[in-house]
Amino acid sequence: MALHEHSHRSPGLHLPSFRRNRTASESAVSARTDTNTAQGYAFSSLRLLTGFVFLWAFLDKTFGFGYATPSGKGWIDGGSPTKGFLGSVAAGPMKSTFHSWAGDPWADWLFMLGLLGIGVALIAGVALRFAALAGTFMMALMWIAEWPPAKHLSDGSASMSTNPFVDYHLIYAVVLIALAAASAGHTLGLGRIWAKLPIVRHSRWLR
């Protein structure tokens, strides 16, 4: 009688392989990092472009580069940055108020400092919350001055408004708020350094 031995291999202790899970996890982290990086650069690009809009408006109105402000009519030449715009308001509930403000030194200084401050803050990537607050207030006043809901101006002519509510002033206001909410100054800006300053750490609204 032949005795046949059947070899039985001990199953031993097999640890589950985490290679696939680890690879998937690393891929997910990498994807999130790439997304965050892409979002950071996208918001920073939007911040820089928006900042240039405000900063250029200040420079053109100050020196009269011949774009929106004719040469020789700049603020530095004695021109008023607010007289033309506010004096030409022809619709809306604040028409007479804007006419009374047009050309006043306090209005010129407040408007120009607002343009400069918002522009510099956006370009540098600092104080975005304050810039958003000031910019939204400025855009709201300019929206009221142009008054998109009006179909006709005070002289009866067509207002040429293309939308009764949404115009570029509201778009800029939303952009400013979004940039502040997204901490858009941390990429391609001084936002991280700014946030570490003692006064900023104790006053979060300055971020």
Side-chain angles (χ1 to χ4, degrees):
M1 180 177 175
L3 180 61
H4 298 283
E5 273 191 352
H6 297 282
S7 61
H8 296 283
R9 291 185 301 171
S10 174
L13 179 62
H14 294 283
L15 295 176
S17 175
F18 293 99
R19 181 180 300 277
R20 181 177 300 176
N21 293 337
R22 184 168 60 250
T23 302
S25 177
E26 290 174 351
S27 298
V29 171
S30 178
R32 287 196 298 269
T33 301
D34 291 342
T35 300
N36 292 338
T37 301
Q39 289 177 348
Y41 280 110
F43 274 111
S44 294
S45 299
L46 181 61
R47 170 179 59 80
L48 292 170
L49 291 173
T50 306
F52 185 71
V53 169
F54 282 88
L55 189 58
W56 176 260
F58 168 80
L59 294 173
D60 185 55
K61 292 179 183 299
T62 299
F63 300 104
F65 290 144
Y67 288 87
T69 305
S71 179
K73 296 294 182 66
W75 194 27
I76 199 172
D77 300 309
S80 170
T82 63
K83 187 174 183 179
F85 177 68
L86 295 181
S88 62
V89 173
M94 293 184 63
K95 182 180 70 172
S96 59
T97 301
F98 286 135
H99 287 176
S100 67
W101 290 355
D104 280 356
W106 70 265
D108 289 342
W109 276 95
L110 195 61
F111 178 59
M112 294 299 281
L113 289 176
L115 290 177
L116 177 61
I118 295 169
V120 171
L122 291 174
I123 294 293
V126 301
L128 295 186
R129 293 182 181 181
F130 185 78
L133 179 63
T136 298
F137 180 71
M138 179 185 292
M139 293 299 104
L141 287 177
M142 296 180 75
W143 185 89
I144 295 173
E146 294 201 356
W147 199 245
K151 293 182 179 180
H152 298 89
L153 303 178
S154 56
D155 61 1
S157 61
S159 67
M160 304 303 290
S161 176
T162 59
N163 190 293
F165 179 67
V166 179
D167 76 341
Y168 65 97
H169 295 110
L170 291 185
I171 301 298
Y172 279 135
V174 173
V175 166
L176 290 171
I177 295 171
L179 292 175
S183 298
H186 288 187
T187 303
L188 300 179
L190 302 176
R192 296 185 188 279
I193 298 176
W194 175 261
K196 293 178 181 178
L197 296 178
I199 187 173
V200 179
R201 288 204 306 267
H202 289 87
S203 303
R204 298 178 65 86
W205 63 274
L206 288 174
R207 290 190 175 184

